[in-house]
Amino acid sequence: MSAAEVPLEAQREVIGVVGVGWVGLVTAACFASRGHDVWAMDVDATKVESLSRGRLTIHEPGLPELVAEHAERLHFTTSMEVLANARLLFCCVDTPPTYSGDADLSRVRSVVDQLSGDSEQALVMKSTVPSGTGQSIRRDLPSLAYVSCPEFLKEGSAVDDFLNPDRVVIGADTGDEWAADAVAAIYEPLGGELVRTDVASAEMIKLASNAFLATKISFINEIANVCEEVGADVTEVARGMGLDQRIGRSFLNAGIGYGGSCFPKDVSALKQLAGNSGYHFQLLNSVIEVNELQKRRVIGKLTKHLGSLVGKRIALLGLAFKPNTDDMREASSLVLSARLQGEGASVAAYDPVAHEGAAGLLPSIELASSAEAALQGADAAILVTEWPEFADLDWASLAGAMSRPLILDGRNFLDPEALRAAGFSYEGIGRGSTGRARD
Ligand code: UGA
């Protein structure tokens, strides 16, 4: 029986996953949790070895439990051949930026190079790739079915996002409908609208979505900067704007810039893709520039309060690019630490989970064992990552432990009134002089 004739109703698939990074591991574990038999392959033998023993290499809420619970249907391997039985092969390798800002497709290419082009197998692309990638893979391996199925999960809530998607985008071109149907069949039970489209459009949906969200953040960050000039509070502005259903409240939190492995890379990749295709994407240049400047603005705020930073001890609360993850990729803390040290300050930092990753990237800062230890004797604190536990610190006693009770809240996360009552000078992002607690 050919793949096209396999009945689709409620069948359990043998699924192959190539690349067990964030997206790959979550994909593998979530499909296993839905009863599918999953074979997950990675070239990193150490990672495969620890995953086979149930040890996870990333911090992601709910994932260790899911992997342990469905271990009998979740197999990790370094061998591509083992995946030959999988009708659907999900490609989840990373596509980091190259020096030029284009997406580096070398890992995707090396996966494709190992495929035989079996007409009963489909490559399902979850890696974020520029529009046109599917078409060129299809050209090289004409008998292989190809489906673009971009992933929209967020780190920190990845399992929940995967199992409860807003929408699932499934792009396939003429001839590959059987593969698109098979992908649709395994996603349908999760709910969320299935968006069936062509490959190029599916690829664009992913890049455009991330670029739009990044644009929303840079927009509200610029509004915040204007709020500081005119004495308005950006959290109030965002609340009022967000109630307009055409705008929506999400991704309107002003702060010290977006980071992570996706927004910086994908905005740049879309800008380059447009440029390479002959179109100058002017807006994205500004989105990127605003984000870079936003990370640095906090230095000016510090010097306004402290004068020269030479010899000052500055405490960073949080290092990861956002809470509930240990991911340090493109974290604002990296730029901030470098700038602070460049100004002659010493940096002490505390993050609940990111110290291991941070140690290699920030070798010359003090990694404190607690928020209290980082704040001890500090001339100022900068809240970099909105870890929930920072809201529950005993701020009144911490005010006494610091050399100077000054807090710059880079995520508008803390309650300004409570902090002021505890004896702090409080400054947020775009909050004028009053500032209310974030929604
Ligand atoms: C992002 C997208 O949200 C996912 O839909 C997408 O699947 C993923 O990229 C990807 O392409 O793989 P992620 O990078 O995990 O997910 O994290 P987000 O929660 O989107 O946050 C990204 C950055 O934006 C963080 O640094 C966060 O602090 C910042 N941010 C977010 C703001 O500064 N303000 C906001 O209002 C929201």
Side-chain angles (χ1 to χ4, degrees), residues 158-395:
V159 171
D160 194 47
D161 290 344
F162 190 98
L163 293 175
N164 303 289
D166 288 344
R167 81 306 206 181
V168 178
V169 175
I170 300 172
D173 293 333
T174 311
D176 292 343
E177 289 83 1
W178 72 264
D181 289 344
V183 173
I186 56 171
Y187 272 105
E188 206 148 34
L190 303 182
E193 187 156 342
L194 297 183
V195 181
R196 295 283 293 261
T197 183
D198 59 281
V199 169
S201 302
E203 292 167 336
M204 258 323 261
I205 289 170
K206 170 67 188 182
L207 286 177
S209 298
N210 273 2
F212 183 78
L213 291 170
T215 303
K216 223 175 159 186
I217 297 170
S218 277
F219 179 84
I220 201 67
N221 282 340
E222 290 227 274
I223 293 292
N225 299 342
V226 178
C227 284
E228 287 176 5
E229 299 300 321
V230 301
D233 182 342
V234 73
T235 60
E236 291 296 287
V237 176
R239 186 162 71 96
M241 285 171 65
L243 288 169
D244 184 327
Q245 286 185 10
R246 295 168 300 174
I247 298 174
R249 177 63 187 86
S250 60
F251 280 71
L252 284 183
N253 293 326
I256 50 173
Y258 61 77
S261 63
C262 305
F263 286 174
K265 157 179 91 79
D266 292 348
V267 174
S268 158
L270 180 52
K271 178 190 137 177
Q272 296 304 342
L273 173 70
N276 297 342
S277 319
Y279 182 73
H280 176 63
F281 205 145
Q282 201 159 328
L283 179 61
L284 291 188
N285 284 325
S286 302
V287 170
I288 294 165
E289 195 183 346
V290 167
N291 196 53
E292 284 312 308
L293 293 174
Q294 199 68 11
K295 295 178 196 169
R296 290 165 165 77
R297 258 178 85 83
V298 72
I299 303 294
K301 291 184 176 179
L302 266 186
T303 53
K304 190 182 76 190
H305 288 275
L306 300 178
S308 164
L309 298 184
V310 175
K312 300 282 181 349
R313 175 181 167 91
I314 309 298
L316 301 186
L317 293 180
L319 289 168
F321 84 97
K322 67 174 193 173
N324 295 319
T325 178
D326 58 352
D327 199 339
M328 286 293 298
R329 285 176 288 180
E330 301 284 338
S332 295
S333 61
L334 297 173
V335 172
L336 209 48
S337 303
R339 283 294 300 114
L340 287 167
Q341 290 180 313
E343 294 292 322
S346 66
V347 178
Y350 170 71
D351 188 288
V353 300
H355 280 200
E356 203 181 314
L361 295 165
L362 297 167
S364 53
I365 71 167
E366 175 191 331
L367 291 173
S369 57
S370 64
E372 289 81 359
L375 291 164
Q376 186 68 41
D379 295 286
I382 306 175
L383 188 135
V384 178
T385 315
E386 64 275 36
W387 282 99
E389 66 186 69
F390 294 150
D392 300 328
L393 292 173
D394 180 357
W395 287 104

Side-chain angles (χ1 to χ4, degrees), residues 120-136:
E120 300 200 0
Q121 197 169 49
L123 184 66
V124 185
M125 189 58 68
K126 282 209 107 36
S127 305
T128 302
V129 295
S131 251
T133 306
Q135 202 185 24
S136 92

